[in-house]
Amino acid sequence: MNFNIALLPGDGTGPEVVAQAVKAVDAVCKKFGHTVSYTKGLVGACAIDATGDPFPEETFQTCLKSDAVLFGAVGDPRYDNNPTAKVRPETGLLAMRKKLGLFANLRPMETYKSLVDKSPLKPELVDGAEFLCIRELTGGMYFGEKGRRDNGNTAYDTNIYSRHEIERILKLAFEYAQRRRKHLTVVDKANVLESSRLWREVAQEMAPKYPDVQTDYMFVDNAAMQIVRFPKFFDVLVTENTFGDILTDEASVIAGSMGLLASASIGEHTSLFEPIHGSYPQAAGKNIANPLATILSAAMMFEYAFGLMEEGKAIRRAVNQSIEEAYVTEDLAAGGRSYSTSEVGDWVAAHI
Ligand code: IPM
Ligand code: MG
C-alpha cells in the first residue's frame, strides 16, 4: 500500500519524538513492502510564530488530504502563565479536533511487566492492569459557550452535550467493549450535572442493545479513586471531554511513565495519532524525551487507520523488546544506563 501521512511535530519535544516515530514507520513500510510519503504541517506555538494562527488553513488542508495525521504536541511556557493571551497553542489543537471532527479519543492504558516497579502503585495492583479510556473530544465545556460578564469579574464555561454527540461516542464504546473483555464503565456526574443525566439516560437506553456487555455507571469522583485503588476493575471506560482529560492523565501514571502512552483520535475525517504526554518544554532540544509513546502512536496508526495489525504488532514487539532489554530513556532507566531519544528511535527501528 501507499500512505500519505501528515506530520505535525508541533512544539517542545514534539519534533524530536515524531522524528523517532518516522524512523519506525519507515522501517515497518520497508519490512512489509509499503511506500510512504510525508507532508509536514505547522500547529501550535510554532504555527503562531510563523503565521499568527495556531492551526493554519494550509495545515488543515494537508490533514484532509492525508491518510493519517501523526502529531507530536503543542504548548509553550510563554503562554502558560498569561491568561490574557488572545491566541494560544492549545487553541490550535482544539481547532484541529473540531475541524477534523475527531470526536473520539482512544487512550489505552497498558502496563509492562518489567516496569511494574516504576509505578507509584503497588506492583500487585499494576501487574496485568490494562484498560481503554474513551474520551469524548469535541463537545462539553471545551467547546460550549464561554465568556465573561460583570465587567469581566464573572466567568463561565458551558458543559453542553446533545443526544447525537453522546450516542455516537457511546456506540463506539459499546463496540470496543464487545471486542474486548465486555465490560463498559460509563463515567459521569449524574448526581449533580444535567448534562451527565442525559449521558446516563442515553447509555441506559442503549445498553440493552449490547446484552453481551456488562455496563456499569460510576460517578467521576469515585472513578478517580477506583483508577488508583484497583485499576484492574476497568476494561473500557467512556466519559465526556473534561472528565476524560483529567482521568487519562491520572491513568497514565499507572504504567510507570507518561512517556509510554499513545492515543488515537478518530471521527469524521482523517484520524490523528499522538502521544498523550504533551510538549514537555523543559526537555525540548535535549534529546532526552521518551519517544516510545509516539512510536506506539504510529503502531496505533497502522492498526486503527490502515487496519494493518501485523505492522502494528511489529512496532509493538520492538518497543517491548527495548523496554525488556532496558534500552530506554532516562525516565525508564532503573538506575542503569539510559539512552537518548534518537538512540532509542534508532534501536527500535533497527529491531523492527
Ligand atoms: C490533552 C491535553 C489537551 C486537552 C490540552 C493541551 C488542550 O491536555 O490532549 O489531554 O486538554 O485536551
Ligand atoms: Mg490532558
Side-chain angles (χ1 to χ4, degrees):
M1 287 171 83
N2 177 46
F3 310 114
N4 292 309
I5 297 176
L7 282 187
L8 274 47
D11 306 321
T13 55
E16 296 161 59
V17 291
V18 167
Q20 312 317 313
V22 166
K23 291 175 188 169
V25 171
D26 286 341
V28 157
C29 286
K30 197 168 157 208
K31 184 181 166 90
F32 289 87
H34 304 302
T35 52
V36 56
S37 56
Y38 303 99
T39 312
K40 274 204 174 174
L42 292 172
V43 63
C46 62
I48 299 176
D49 292 341
T51 71
D53 181 350
F55 186 56
E57 179 65 22
E58 198 186 331
T59 305
F60 177 44
Q61 293 303 328
T62 300
C63 294
L64 281 183
K65 276 185 256 156
S66 303
D67 301 313
V69 180
L70 197 53
F71 167 59
V74 296
D76 190 306
R78 283 181 290 163
Y79 299 90
D80 288 350
N81 290 317
N82 177 9
T84 59
K86 286 268 176 304
V87 282
R88 325 182 63 85
E90 290 79 4
T91 323
L93 178 58
L94 300 183
M96 180 160 75
R97 289 173 179 168
K98 198 69 176 179
K99 286 178 129 176
L100 291 173
L102 301 171
F103 63 82
N105 183 215
L106 312 179
R107 297 185 165 183
M109 199 291 298
E110 283 158 3
T111 53
Y112 296 82
K113 267 209 172 347
S114 50
L115 292 178
V116 288
D117 293 323
K118 298 292 284 176
S119 174
L121 302 191
K122 292 192 188 105
E124 66 268 27
L125 293 181
V126 178
D127 192 17
E130 187 270 327
F131 57 91
L132 174 65
C133 294
I134 302 186
R135 168 188 176 193
E136 200 291 327
L137 204 58
T138 51
M141 245 196 305
Y142 276 60
F143 294 95
E145 192 192 329
K146 56 185 80 222
R148 299 272 181 117
R149 46 175 187 249
D150 185 22
N151 281 329
N153 293 312
T154 303
Y156 60 93
D157 300 275
T158 316
N159 199 21
I160 183 165
Y161 270 106
S162 67
R163 171 176 286 272
H164 161 71
E165 289 172 308
I166 301 167
E167 271 170 1
R168 65 182 178 182
I169 189 85
L170 288 178
K171 178 170 184 290
L172 203 86
F174 278 115
E175 289 169 0
Y176 272 100
Q178 280 183 320
R179 277 183 258 151
R180 293 172 45 100
R181 297 191 300 274
K182 304 189 191 332
H183 177 201
L184 177 66
T185 305
V186 181
V187 172
D188 62 29
K189 187 72 185 171
N191 50 348
V192 178
L193 303 176
E194 198 55 37
S195 50
S196 281
R197 284 194 272 271
L198 182 58
W199 270 75
R200 198 170 278 216
E201 202 179 297
V202 173
Q204 284 172 344
E205 280 168 26
M206 291 173 76
K209 286 185 229 148
Y210 304 88
D212 50 333
V213 175
Q214 184 205 325
T215 305
D216 42 46
Y217 302 90
M218 201 182 264
F219 296 138
V220 62
D221 46 352
N222 185 24
M225 178 173 74
Q226 300 306 336
I227 282 175
V228 287
R229 201 188 67 90
F230 187 51
K232 275 179 253 193
F233 172 81
F234 296 98
D235 174 18
V236 179
L237 180 163
V238 64
T239 192
E240 63 153 82
N241 204 345
T242 308
F243 298 160
D245 177 46
I246 300 165
L247 294 181
T248 54
D249 259 33
E250 186 193 9
S252 77
V253 303
I254 299 171
S257 170
M258 244 197 152
L260 286 173
L261 294 195
S263 79
S265 299
I266 59 180
E268 294 159 14
H269 302 287
T270 322
S271 300
L272 177 140
F273 301 85
E274 63 172 307
I276 89 154
H277 53 59
S279 61
Y280 190 17
Q282 307 88 318
K286 293 190 181 151
N287 202 17
I288 57 169
N290 187 345
L292 294 183
T294 318
I295 295 174
L296 288 168
S297 301
M300 287 186 89
M301 176 177 79
F302 281 100
E303 296 159 350
Y304 289 71
F306 309 146
L308 297 172
M309 308 317 271
E310 283 307 310
E311 282 78 343
K313 228 187 262 168
I315 299 178
R316 290 179 190 282
R317 220 181 287 125
V319 167
N320 283 334
Q321 208 181 335
S322 87
I323 294 171
E324 259 151 42
E325 296 185 22
Y327 201 101
V328 288
T329 43
E330 61 182 23
D331 55 311
L332 294 182
R337 202 190 145 184
S338 67
Y339 297 85
S340 68
T341 307
S342 52
E343 282 173 328
V344 173
D346 289 335
W347 195 97
V348 170
H351 284 74
I352 289 170

